[in-house]
mmCIF file of all heavy atoms in Angstrom:
data_model
loop_
_atom_site.group_PDB
_atom_site.id
_atom_site.type_symbol
_atom_site.label_atom_id
_atom_site.label_comp_id
_atom_site.label_asym_id
_atom_site.label_seq_id
_atom_site.Cartn_x
_atom_site.Cartn_y
_atom_site.Cartn_z
ATOM 1 N N ASN A 535 81.994 99.800 77.988
ATOM 2 C CA ASN A 535 82.264 98.429 78.157
ATOM 3 C C ASN A 535 82.616 98.084 79.611
ATOM 4 O O ASN A 535 82.215 96.902 79.997
ATOM 5 C CB ASN A 535 83.693 98.227 77.438
ATOM 6 C CG ASN A 535 83.509 97.740 76.085
ATOM 7 O OD1 ASN A 535 82.806 96.793 75.969
ATOM 8 N ND2 ASN A 535 84.140 98.278 75.024
ATOM 9 N N LEU A 592 90.802 80.550 74.460
ATOM 10 C CA LEU A 592 91.187 81.783 73.542
ATOM 11 C C LEU A 592 92.242 81.347 72.583
ATOM 12 O O LEU A 592 93.167 80.727 72.922
ATOM 13 C CB LEU A 592 91.546 82.802 74.509
ATOM 14 C CG LEU A 592 91.861 84.171 73.822
ATOM 15 C CD1 LEU A 592 90.560 84.800 73.130
ATOM 16 C CD2 LEU A 592 92.521 85.092 74.819
ATOM 17 N N THR A 595 96.509 84.475 70.647
ATOM 18 C CA THR A 595 97.189 85.244 71.620
ATOM 19 C C THR A 595 98.715 85.449 71.042
ATOM 20 O O THR A 595 99.115 84.980 70.099
ATOM 21 C CB THR A 595 97.300 84.685 72.938
ATOM 22 O OG1 THR A 595 97.972 83.340 72.772
ATOM 23 C CG2 THR A 595 95.930 84.459 73.415
ATOM 24 N N GLU A 596 99.409 86.151 71.937
ATOM 25 C CA GLU A 596 100.791 86.523 71.445
ATOM 26 C C GLU A 596 101.671 85.224 71.601
ATOM 27 O O GLU A 596 102.497 84.935 70.733
ATOM 28 C CB GLU A 596 101.492 87.532 72.412
ATOM 29 C CG GLU A 596 102.756 88.073 71.786
ATOM 30 C CD GLU A 596 103.548 88.761 72.865
ATOM 31 O OE1 GLU A 596 104.183 88.328 73.708
ATOM 32 O OE2 GLU A 596 103.398 90.140 72.767
ATOM 33 N N GLU A 643 111.135 89.731 69.458
ATOM 34 C CA GLU A 643 110.093 90.249 70.289
ATOM 35 C C GLU A 643 108.896 90.302 69.408
ATOM 36 O O GLU A 643 108.755 91.012 68.381
ATOM 37 C CB GLU A 643 110.499 91.759 70.737
ATOM 38 C CG GLU A 643 109.302 92.519 71.535
ATOM 39 C CD GLU A 643 108.968 91.699 72.869
ATOM 40 O OE1 GLU A 643 109.805 91.239 73.513
ATOM 41 O OE2 GLU A 643 107.723 91.792 73.144
ATOM 42 N N LYS A 645 104.676 90.964 68.835
ATOM 43 C CA LYS A 645 103.434 91.758 69.226
ATOM 44 C C LYS A 645 102.349 91.190 68.286
ATOM 45 O O LYS A 645 102.368 91.295 67.202
ATOM 46 C CB LYS A 645 103.719 93.203 69.063
ATOM 47 C CG LYS A 645 104.658 93.714 70.010
ATOM 48 C CD LYS A 645 104.083 93.859 71.580
ATOM 49 C CE LYS A 645 105.253 93.948 72.474
ATOM 50 N NZ LYS A 645 105.144 93.459 73.708
ATOM 51 N N ARG A 646 101.194 90.746 68.967
ATOM 52 C CA ARG A 646 100.117 90.386 68.125
ATOM 53 C C ARG A 646 99.446 91.478 67.448
ATOM 54 O O ARG A 646 98.811 91.349 66.357
ATOM 55 C CB ARG A 646 99.129 89.496 68.907
ATOM 56 C CG ARG A 646 98.509 90.316 70.116
ATOM 57 C CD ARG A 646 97.442 89.370 70.685
ATOM 58 N NE ARG A 646 96.379 88.996 69.839
ATOM 59 C CZ ARG A 646 95.371 89.631 69.405
ATOM 60 N NH1 ARG A 646 95.259 90.892 69.699
ATOM 61 N NH2 ARG A 646 94.487 89.048 68.431
ATOM 62 N N ARG A 659 116.755 95.925 76.104
ATOM 63 C CA ARG A 659 117.108 95.446 77.385
ATOM 64 C C ARG A 659 117.764 94.055 77.395
ATOM 65 O O ARG A 659 118.784 93.630 78.014
ATOM 66 C CB ARG A 659 115.956 95.531 78.399
ATOM 67 C CG ARG A 659 116.271 95.251 79.852
ATOM 68 C CD ARG A 659 115.262 95.950 80.750
ATOM 69 N NE ARG A 659 114.033 95.197 80.846
ATOM 70 C CZ ARG A 659 113.722 94.232 81.732
ATOM 71 N NH1 ARG A 659 114.639 93.882 82.583
ATOM 72 N NH2 ARG A 659 112.472 93.574 81.767
ATOM 73 P P DG C 1214 110.419 92.949 88.208
ATOM 74 O OP1 DG C 1214 111.896 93.157 88.079
ATOM 75 O OP2 DG C 1214 109.722 94.091 88.694
ATOM 76 O "O5'" DG C 1214 109.898 92.563 86.812
ATOM 77 C "C5'" DG C 1214 110.236 91.238 86.337
ATOM 78 C "C4'" DG C 1214 109.297 90.738 85.303
ATOM 79 O "O4'" DG C 1214 108.050 90.287 85.897
ATOM 80 C "C3'" DG C 1214 109.007 91.870 84.267
ATOM 81 O "O3'" DG C 1214 109.206 91.336 82.879
ATOM 82 C "C2'" DG C 1214 107.415 92.202 84.587
ATOM 83 C "C1'" DG C 1214 107.025 90.786 85.097
ATOM 84 N N9 DG C 1214 105.828 90.935 85.961
ATOM 85 C C8 DG C 1214 105.534 91.806 86.961
ATOM 86 N N7 DG C 1214 104.316 91.675 87.472
ATOM 87 C C5 DG C 1214 103.890 90.642 86.831
ATOM 88 C C6 DG C 1214 102.631 89.934 87.001
ATOM 89 O O6 DG C 1214 101.752 90.303 87.723
ATOM 90 N N1 DG C 1214 102.390 88.827 86.106
ATOM 91 C C2 DG C 1214 103.368 88.502 85.122
ATOM 92 N N2 DG C 1214 102.941 87.422 84.331
ATOM 93 N N3 DG C 1214 104.526 89.140 85.079
ATOM 94 C C4 DG C 1214 104.704 90.126 85.802
ATOM 95 P P DA C 1215 109.378 92.358 81.645
ATOM 96 O OP1 DA C 1215 110.543 92.101 81.049
ATOM 97 O OP2 DA C 1215 108.943 93.745 82.204
ATOM 98 O "O5'" DA C 1215 108.130 91.983 80.743
ATOM 99 C "C5'" DA C 1215 108.015 90.601 80.427
ATOM 100 C "C4'" DA C 1215 106.691 90.369 79.996
ATOM 101 O "O4'" DA C 1215 105.768 90.284 81.052
ATOM 102 C "C3'" DA C 1215 106.010 91.343 78.945
ATOM 103 O "O3'" DA C 1215 105.532 90.680 77.832
ATOM 104 C "C2'" DA C 1215 104.905 91.948 79.784
ATOM 105 C "C1'" DA C 1215 104.492 90.899 80.810
ATOM 106 N N9 DA C 1215 103.913 91.475 81.908
ATOM 107 C C8 DA C 1215 104.372 92.415 82.783
ATOM 108 N N7 DA C 1215 103.529 92.647 83.787
ATOM 109 C C5 DA C 1215 102.580 91.726 83.655
ATOM 110 C C6 DA C 1215 101.426 91.499 84.383
ATOM 111 N N6 DA C 1215 101.152 92.245 85.567
ATOM 112 N N1 DA C 1215 100.483 90.563 84.081
ATOM 113 C C2 DA C 1215 100.844 89.879 82.914
ATOM 114 N N3 DA C 1215 102.006 90.032 82.047
ATOM 115 C C4 DA C 1215 102.684 91.018 82.523
ATOM 116 P P DG C 1216 104.751 91.524 76.769
ATOM 117 O OP1 DG C 1216 105.477 91.258 75.527
ATOM 118 O OP2 DG C 1216 104.520 92.944 77.185
ATOM 119 O "O5'" DG C 1216 103.378 90.900 76.589
ATOM 120 C "C5'" DG C 1216 103.265 89.405 76.588
ATOM 121 C "C4'" DG C 1216 101.856 88.944 76.673
ATOM 122 O "O4'" DG C 1216 101.355 89.257 78.026
ATOM 123 C "C3'" DG C 1216 100.871 89.516 75.743
ATOM 124 O "O3'" DG C 1216 99.750 88.463 75.428
ATOM 125 C "C2'" DG C 1216 100.246 90.736 76.579
ATOM 126 C "C1'" DG C 1216 100.140 90.170 77.828
ATOM 127 N N9 DG C 1216 100.348 91.195 78.952
ATOM 128 C C8 DG C 1216 101.351 92.145 79.087
ATOM 129 N N7 DG C 1216 101.170 92.839 80.070
ATOM 130 C C5 DG C 1216 100.051 92.530 80.672
ATOM 131 C C6 DG C 1216 99.366 92.989 81.792
ATOM 132 O O6 DG C 1216 99.715 93.992 82.497
ATOM 133 N N1 DG C 1216 98.174 92.375 82.007
ATOM 134 C C2 DG C 1216 97.717 91.389 81.271
ATOM 135 N N2 DG C 1216 96.479 90.815 81.611
ATOM 136 N N3 DG C 1216 98.292 90.924 80.087
ATOM 137 C C4 DG C 1216 99.435 91.477 79.914
ATOM 138 P P DA C 1217 98.740 88.851 74.437
ATOM 139 O OP1 DA C 1217 98.330 87.597 73.963
ATOM 140 O OP2 DA C 1217 99.240 89.923 73.414
ATOM 141 O "O5'" DA C 1217 97.461 89.520 75.233
ATOM 142 C "C5'" DA C 1217 96.816 88.650 76.236
ATOM 143 C "C4'" DA C 1217 95.477 89.457 76.485
ATOM 144 O "O4'" DA C 1217 95.741 90.443 77.536
ATOM 145 C "C3'" DA C 1217 94.737 89.965 75.346
ATOM 146 O "O3'" DA C 1217 93.426 89.977 75.514
ATOM 147 C "C2'" DA C 1217 95.130 91.490 75.534
ATOM 148 C "C1'" DA C 1217 95.208 91.632 77.058
ATOM 149 N N9 DA C 1217 96.264 92.709 77.481
ATOM 150 C C8 DA C 1217 97.407 92.910 76.832
ATOM 151 N N7 DA C 1217 98.108 94.014 77.516
ATOM 152 C C5 DA C 1217 97.290 94.201 78.609
ATOM 153 C C6 DA C 1217 97.447 95.141 79.742
ATOM 154 N N6 DA C 1217 98.591 95.852 79.833
ATOM 155 N N1 DA C 1217 96.604 95.104 80.638
ATOM 156 C C2 DA C 1217 95.432 94.274 80.476
ATOM 157 N N3 DA C 1217 95.254 93.404 79.544
ATOM 158 C C4 DA C 1217 96.127 93.498 78.589
ATOM 159 P P DG C 1218 92.550 88.524 75.490
ATOM 160 O OP1 DG C 1218 91.427 88.550 76.342
ATOM 161 O OP2 DG C 1218 93.604 87.451 75.535
ATOM 162 O "O5'" DG C 1218 92.152 88.616 73.966
ATOM 163 C "C5'" DG C 1218 92.907 88.763 72.844
ATOM 164 C "C4'" DG C 1218 92.422 89.817 71.923
ATOM 165 O "O4'" DG C 1218 90.876 89.412 71.587
ATOM 166 C "C3'" DG C 1218 92.218 91.315 72.280
ATOM 167 O "O3'" DG C 1218 92.671 92.104 71.396
ATOM 168 C "C2'" DG C 1218 90.825 91.479 72.818
ATOM 169 C "C1'" DG C 1218 90.170 90.416 71.841
ATOM 170 N N9 DG C 1218 88.937 89.905 72.409
ATOM 171 C C8 DG C 1218 88.852 88.857 73.160
ATOM 172 N N7 DG C 1218 87.634 88.506 73.597
ATOM 173 C C5 DG C 1218 86.825 89.596 73.122
ATOM 174 C C6 DG C 1218 85.536 89.673 73.066
ATOM 175 O O6 DG C 1218 84.571 89.104 73.697
ATOM 176 N N1 DG C 1218 85.113 90.900 72.395
ATOM 177 C C2 DG C 1218 85.978 91.705 71.662
ATOM 178 N N2 DG C 1218 85.436 92.582 70.989
ATOM 179 N N3 DG C 1218 87.171 91.307 71.553
ATOM 180 C C4 DG C 1218 87.653 90.420 72.256
ATOM 181 P P DA C 1219 93.952 92.971 71.656
ATOM 182 O OP1 DA C 1219 93.905 94.184 70.756
ATOM 183 O OP2 DA C 1219 95.083 92.056 71.275
ATOM 184 O "O5'" DA C 1219 94.037 93.427 73.117
ATOM 185 C "C5'" DA C 1219 93.329 94.598 73.539
ATOM 186 C "C4'" DA C 1219 92.454 94.332 74.746
ATOM 187 O "O4'" DA C 1219 93.329 94.009 75.772
ATOM 188 C "C3'" DA C 1219 91.532 95.527 75.085
ATOM 189 O "O3'" DA C 1219 90.268 95.225 74.860
ATOM 190 C "C2'" DA C 1219 91.838 95.820 76.613
ATOM 191 C "C1'" DA C 1219 93.082 94.860 76.931
ATOM 192 N N9 DA C 1219 94.404 95.745 76.960
ATOM 193 C C8 DA C 1219 95.457 95.731 76.262
ATOM 194 N N7 DA C 1219 96.391 96.446 76.744
ATOM 195 C C5 DA C 1219 95.895 97.166 77.677
ATOM 196 C C6 DA C 1219 96.292 98.175 78.494
ATOM 197 N N6 DA C 1219 97.604 98.843 78.461
ATOM 198 N N1 DA C 1219 95.433 98.664 79.488
ATOM 199 C C2 DA C 1219 94.296 98.008 79.666
ATOM 200 N N3 DA C 1219 93.731 97.043 78.854
ATOM 201 C C4 DA C 1219 94.533 96.671 78.009
ATOM 202 P P DT C 1220 89.432 96.217 73.926
ATOM 203 O OP1 DT C 1220 88.300 95.543 73.636
ATOM 204 O OP2 DT C 1220 90.269 96.942 72.978
ATOM 205 O "O5'" DT C 1220 89.045 97.317 75.163
ATOM 206 C "C5'" DT C 1220 88.495 96.957 76.274
ATOM 207 C "C4'" DT C 1220 88.387 98.168 77.281
ATOM 208 O "O4'" DT C 1220 89.842 98.410 77.714
ATOM 209 C "C3'" DT C 1220 87.959 99.437 76.597
ATOM 210 O "O3'" DT C 1220 87.039 99.973 77.577
ATOM 211 C "C2'" DT C 1220 89.157 100.171 76.389
ATOM 212 C "C1'" DT C 1220 90.053 99.806 77.552
ATOM 213 N N1 DT C 1220 91.535 99.907 77.022
ATOM 214 C C2 DT C 1220 92.305 100.705 77.881
ATOM 215 O O2 DT C 1220 91.870 101.389 78.979
ATOM 216 N N3 DT C 1220 93.541 100.745 77.576
ATOM 217 C C4 DT C 1220 94.162 100.187 76.489
ATOM 218 O O4 DT C 1220 95.385 100.303 76.163
ATOM 219 C C5 DT C 1220 93.283 99.401 75.580
ATOM 220 C C7 DT C 1220 93.848 98.557 74.440
ATOM 221 C C6 DT C 1220 92.037 99.395 76.031
ATOM 222 P P DG C 1221 86.101 101.191 77.094
ATOM 223 O OP1 DG C 1221 84.937 101.074 77.807
ATOM 224 O OP2 DG C 1221 86.110 101.289 75.685
ATOM 225 O "O5'" DG C 1221 86.982 102.600 77.547
ATOM 226 C "C5'" DG C 1221 87.363 102.655 78.832
ATOM 227 C "C4'" DG C 1221 88.214 103.934 79.055
ATOM 228 O "O4'" DG C 1221 89.519 103.544 78.488
ATOM 229 C "C3'" DG C 1221 87.734 105.263 78.305
ATOM 230 O "O3'" DG C 1221 87.797 106.285 79.173
ATOM 231 C "C2'" DG C 1221 88.699 105.296 77.154
ATOM 232 C "C1'" DG C 1221 90.131 104.733 77.715
ATOM 233 N N9 DG C 1221 90.877 104.063 76.783
ATOM 234 C C8 DG C 1221 90.569 103.336 75.645
ATOM 235 N N7 DG C 1221 91.564 102.970 74.977
ATOM 236 C C5 DG C 1221 92.670 103.638 75.510
ATOM 237 C C6 DG C 1221 93.988 103.619 75.135
ATOM 238 O O6 DG C 1221 94.608 103.010 74.371
ATOM 239 N N1 DG C 1221 94.799 104.329 76.115
ATOM 240 C C2 DG C 1221 94.270 105.011 77.110
ATOM 241 N N2 DG C 1221 95.191 105.700 77.917
ATOM 242 N N3 DG C 1221 93.036 105.032 77.516
ATOM 243 C C4 DG C 1221 92.232 104.318 76.700
#
Side-chain angles (χ1 to χ4, degrees):
Chain A
N535 264 310
L592 187 63
T595 62
E596 197 192 79
E643 173 65 32
K645 292 291 166 205
R646 65 176 300 282
R659 186 157 77 93

